[in-house]
Amino acid sequence: MLETLHLGDGQNVGTADGRIALDCSVRPTRHDKNTFIISTTDFFFPLVDSPYLQGRIGAANVLSDLYAEGVEHCDFVLMLLAACRDMPPDQRDLCTQDMVRGFRDACDEAETTVTGGQTVLNPWPIIGGVATSVVKKEA
């Protein structure tokens, strides 16, 4: 299906046709062809009973895409958060705070920083992020 969307410009490293990558986008910077930006986006639906664990899993999910590419350290993460609009406000606040705490704790353990992100209201509580690293080409 993705092939029919004609996404990308042919410059992604590590894909057969240089177009859209499924997990990570690996791109040379425009300033230095030996420096690459590796980024990925992922999120996690509420498949566990603990909002805190959901946050930790959401962070691990997005970071694991970088690790799968051989990246050892994530430079920064943007958090994507969907607070549940259908929960009573007091429950939504607790759930959201626990998800964010779990996400932040997992990022702290990975020695990376959450530098921003996006928050929306949604029927389900969802958390994830955009993880980015800048790496030099190995000689």
Side-chain angles (χ1 to χ4, degrees), residues 72-90:
E72 295 178 5
H73 183 79
C74 176
D75 288 315
F76 63 91
V77 176
L78 300 172
M79 184 173 57
L80 304 174
L81 175 66
C84 181
R85 70 172 182 226
D86 298 333
M87 284 182 176
D90 58 331

Side-chain angles (χ1 to χ4, degrees), residues 56-71:
R56 289 185 62 84
I57 293 168
N61 193 26
V62 71
L63 290 169
S64 69
D65 291 346
L66 287 180
Y67 301 150
E69 292 289 330
V71 175

Side-chain angles (χ1 to χ4, degrees), residues 74-131:
C74 176
D75 288 315
F76 63 91
V77 176
L78 300 172
M79 184 173 57
L80 304 174
L81 175 66
C84 181
R85 70 172 182 226
D86 298 333
M87 284 182 176
D90 58 331
Q91 290 179 6
R92 178 177 54 235
D93 290 349
L94 290 173
C95 176
T96 301
Q97 289 169 7
D98 280 352
M99 284 193 312
V100 169
R101 187 169 52 88
F103 192 91
R104 187 187 59 241
D105 286 354
C107 287
D108 287 348
E109 287 178 26
E111 298 179 348
T112 190
T113 304
V114 180
T115 60
Q118 178 69 34
T119 303
V120 297
L121 289 174
N122 190 61
W124 307 279
I126 299 172
I127 194 161
V130 178

